[in-house]
Each structure stands twice: as C-alpha cells, then as structure tokens.
Amino acid sequence: MLNNSHILVRLSIRAWALLVWIVLSVCAVACDSEEEIPQPEQPDGSMTVSISIKTNGSTGTRAVDVYDMIGTMEENTINVVDGDYRILLFDKDGWMVGRFDDIQPVTGEEQNVNQYVVTASLDKTLLDFTVVVLANWEQNGWHYPLVAESITTIDGLMADMDCQFDVKEGWRPFHEDGAVRTGGMPMFGMHSFSVSQEEAKNATREAPVNLSESEQDVIWMVRSMAKIEVVDAMDKINDDDYPRLESVTFAPYMNAGKLIPDAFSNGNGERWNNGSQVSRVSLPAGKTPVTGELALFSIADADTKREKYVAYVAEQSLNQQKAYLYITVRNRPDGTTGDGLVTVTYELDVNQETGMQILRNHLYRFNIKSVSSQLINVEYVVCPWSGYKVDIPVFD
C-alpha cells in the first residue's frame, strides 16, 4: 500500500510540472511583442482607403457665450456613440455597391472642429467611387431610407420624398442646460474620389490610401436645417434690465423639410458640389408654409443675462409668401406705470434681408439694438462662408 501511494504522489507531481510548463509557455506567447500577434489579413484583391469627414471649420478665437458653446458643439457633432449614421458607397455610375460601418472621431485642439475618419477595404477595381454620409436622423425620430446594393442610386436617394423631417416647436439638438443629448443636427454629405492603379496596388491596412489629404477632398457635412436667432442687444435704462425681449415668433413657416438637398441645390445648373453652400431651396413635394406662428425658444446667457431667441427651421421660399418675425419687447416690469408702452410688438419683414429664401446650413441673426413705440432698430449680422457669393451667414 505504501508503495502504491508513493507512486500516485510521484505521478501527481509530474503532472503538475507539465501543467505549469504549458501555462508558462502560453503566457510567453501571449505577452510577446505586438509585432508577432497576427493581424487580420486584408482580403485578396482589395485595397484599404482612409477618408475624412468634417462637420465644420474652426471658429478661431471668436468669443462665444454659454449658449454658443452648447449649441455649436451639438450642431457639429455626429452621434457615432449610438451609431446614428449611414455611410453609403456608390460606383462611378451611381449605383450603390456597399456601405462603411467604422467611423472614428478625431480629437483636436482647434475650437469647434469636429472631424471623423473612415477606414475601409474596397475592391481594387473600384478606382472611382462616391461616398454619401447621412447623420443624426434616428435619434430625432426621423428614418434613414431603405437602401440595397445594385438597386439604390444616388439620383434616387437625392430625390427620395420619404427623406423628410417635421418641424417641431422648440426643437433643438441639445437639452436646454446642455446636460442631455437629443440627437444632434441632421446632416448630409457627399463627395467623389479617385484612386490610381498604383495606389490601389500598394494600399494595405497598415498603409491605407489617404484620400482626404487636402481640404477639398474632405467630405464636408451640411446641416438639413437653417437657424434663426434674435438677440437682445438693447441698452438697458434701469437696474431691472429693461427694455428686454419678451417673445419672438416666426410666421408663416414650413412645417416640413428635406433631409437630403436636391441634386442641383448648389445652383448654376451644376450637380451637388462638395464643400459648397446651397444657393436654392429644396422643398418637399406638396408642402406649403402653414399660417400658424412658430415660437422661438429663449436661452439667457449666463454672464450677460441677455436673452437670445432661437429656432431651427426648414428651408423656405419667400418669393410667393412673405414671412415675418413678430418681436415683443417689454419696456418695464409687469404692473408698473409710467410713460411709454408696457409692451410693443414689431413686425419684422425678413424677406429682403434673407435673399427671399431661408437656406439650410445658414444662420440668420438679428441683433435688436434699440426700440421705441414706433421704431425698432435691427442690426443684421452677416457671417459669409468663405467663397460663398451671397452675403447670408452660415452656422459658425
């Protein structure tokens, strides 16, 4: 019995030593340098490309108030965390041949620059292609179009009547205090690329073809909405911060818009041109402005306490039907008496100031400088886009 027991113990020790050797061997392989860890192989006959997407340029050192810091951040963000985007690939003839799923944000030091990079493997024979980017639709309750390879075309996509959004009173791409995201600004972008045969031959996962080396070859996103701002810029005549804005409404207004602009909305008879501002409206079929008044929501700057009234609106043609901002100014606290009106409402004709149309991706800012019982002094702020011919401000 003792001999048998001794044999069993010796066998257990040998088995244990063998187990330890196996574990150490596995750890040695696992802890080796990254260079020896096999990387996923690039599919045969494919090339890897890298494409940049930007939602806005830098605002430089422009001073921004609390509202602007919240607003511009959400106006320029693609909701990649929730996967609220579609990146579609089309061949040179405009037929859909695939889609990209991997998009990564790029962090930078410049203020209000939102940049993303897409890296993907493509067939080496696909030397000329177009990429379409849709963003921030689902989180706002709007739906991406149904697409399919060899069936969906670019022309069909840009004419899709189902790609619409409804205008909701008080809608904003951010929560009032900036703490809760509500989906971001709906956007569209499209650009065509070309790859040389030499680039396609040498492109690998480790060394992809960078197709966005120049700013002209970045996919620049365009917001599907316009933005109207009415700012209290009045001199205050007493300690109660009066006169002050009390309310602002906009009427008549389009209660629906197109999430994707028309193919020829760049103007001049040319098809969509990446990086250019639209110069003509894209209107949903069968929709006309409604007669009700759209109320602008207010945000008070934390430092100046000045009110700013804002609305995000659909594109609108003003040639057939004028539109107005109804601006109510209170001259003194409610219940007090004295000379002058307690409140006065001004009817501001916005047609001439806006070039007879409200365009997507543009900012319409009106600074209210002074008021009287008969007159309102408005300063129209112009922030032209670089290279854009019409002096209408864009989001910045």
Side-chain angles (χ1 to χ4, degrees):
M1 293 294 295
L2 288 176
N3 289 337
N4 289 340
S5 177
H6 183 63
I7 293 173
L8 289 174
V9 171
R10 285 194 301 170
L11 289 175
S12 298
I13 292 174
R14 289 175 180 175
W16 178 253
L18 178 60
L19 178 61
V20 171
W21 179 83
I22 293 173
V23 171
L24 291 176
S25 298
V26 171
C27 290
V29 173
C31 299
D32 204 349
S33 65
E34 293 183 0
E35 294 181 356
E36 296 184 14
I37 297 178
Q39 297 294 326
E41 293 185 4
Q42 181 167 288
D44 291 337
S46 69
M47 60 179 173
T48 303
V49 299
S50 174
I51 299 170
S52 294
I53 301 170
K54 286 188 178 181
T55 59
N56 192 20
S58 173
T59 60
T61 57
R62 179 178 69 86
V64 295
D65 58 25
V66 171
Y67 163 76
D68 281 331
M69 285 190 290
I70 297 171
T72 55
M73 177 178 66
E74 298 299 342
E75 290 166 0
N76 295 307
T77 300
I78 295 177
N79 191 349
V80 298
V81 174
D82 298 312
D84 194 0
Y85 61 86
R86 299 291 185 272
I87 306 176
L88 310 178
L89 178 66
F90 296 81
D91 65 17
K92 63 179 180 180
D93 296 319
W95 292 92
M96 182 178 166
V97 293
R99 54 184 290 177
F100 300 151
D101 295 318
D102 185 28
I103 178 174
Q104 298 295 330
V106 177
T107 58
E109 296 180 356
E110 289 186 272
Q111 184 180 14
N112 296 331
V113 175
N114 286 46
Q115 181 177 356
Y116 304 82
V117 172
V118 174
T119 303
S121 293
L122 308 178
D123 192 297
K124 283 186 177 180
T125 62
L126 194 66
L127 299 179
D128 299 288
F129 57 88
T130 298
V131 176
V132 173
V133 184
L134 315 174
N136 300 334
W137 292 18
E138 288 182 335
Q139 295 293 308
N140 289 300
W142 306 312
H143 303 288
Y144 291 110
L146 295 176
V147 296
E149 295 181 18
S150 303
I151 296 178
T152 302
T153 64
I154 292 177
D155 287 342
L157 192 65
M158 298 194 77
D160 193 337
M161 289 294 100
D162 293 329
C163 297
Q164 297 183 13
F165 66 90
D166 56 324
V167 175
K168 303 172 184 177
E169 189 168 88
W171 180 90
R172 64 203 75 181
F174 56 92
H175 191 272
E176 186 169 354
D177 60 8
V180 180
R181 295 201 53 184
T182 57
M185 178 67 62
M187 300 180 187
F188 166 86
M190 181 172 74
H191 189 39
S192 298
F193 299 93
S194 293
V195 182
S196 69
Q197 290 185 348
E198 185 67 21
E199 288 176 321
K201 177 182 178 181
N202 298 323
T204 64
R205 292 183 186 274
E206 294 75 21
V209 182
N210 183 3
L211 296 178
S212 300
E213 288 186 322
S214 68
E215 292 289 278
Q216 289 75 20
D217 285 321
V218 168
I219 299 179
W220 290 97
M221 300 298 290
V222 174
R223 301 166 191 81
S224 303
M225 297 179 173
K227 180 181 179 183
I228 298 175
E229 289 185 350
V230 179
V231 183
D232 182 354
M234 296 177 287
D235 291 332
K236 307 303 180 181
I237 58 176
N238 55 47
D239 295 335
D240 294 321
D241 293 330
Y242 287 89
R244 62 192 304 177
L245 293 179
E246 184 168 86
S247 67
V248 180
T249 59
F250 177 63
Y253 71 96
M254 287 289 292
N255 65 348
K258 294 187 68 174
L259 288 159
I260 298 176
D262 293 338
F264 292 93
S265 55
N266 285 144
N268 301 322
E270 298 179 359
R271 293 185 65 82
W272 179 264
N273 184 16
N274 177 53
S276 298
Q277 285 298 312
V278 299
S279 59
R280 49 193 286 186
V281 296
S282 301
L283 302 176
K287 297 288 186 178
T288 57
V290 296
T291 56
E293 297 183 14
L294 179 70
L296 280 66
F297 62 87
S298 66
I299 291 184
D301 180 72
D303 297 323
T304 66
K305 309 300 182 184
R306 296 288 181 120
E307 292 287 338
K308 178 184 293 187
Y309 281 79
V310 181
Y312 296 92
V313 299
E315 290 185 301
Q316 185 169 337
S317 174
L318 306 176
N319 286 312
Q320 302 299 324
Q321 190 173 14
K322 288 187 175 182
Y324 297 89
L325 283 171
Y326 297 95
I327 303 171
T328 300
V329 177
R330 178 171 289 278
N331 292 307
R332 59 176 179 266
D334 190 20
T336 62
T337 59
D339 296 332
L341 299 175
V342 174
T343 61
V344 59
T345 300
Y346 299 91
E347 187 178 275
L348 181 62
D349 185 344
V350 301
N351 297 275
Q352 296 302 321
E353 293 87 346
T354 57
M356 303 303 293
Q357 54 188 347
I358 303 293
L359 295 171
R360 70 180 62 214
N361 207 53
H362 287 73
L363 165 65
Y364 301 85
R365 178 178 291 160
F366 300 88
N367 285 346
I368 310 304
K369 302 291 290 185
S370 64
V371 297
S372 66
S373 59
Q374 302 295 327
L375 181 67
I376 182 171
N377 180 16
V378 180
E379 177 184 80
Y380 180 56
V381 178
V382 177
C383 307
W385 186 280
S386 177
Y388 187 51
K389 297 179 180 179
V390 181
D391 287 338
I392 299 176
V394 300
F395 284 123
D396 65 352

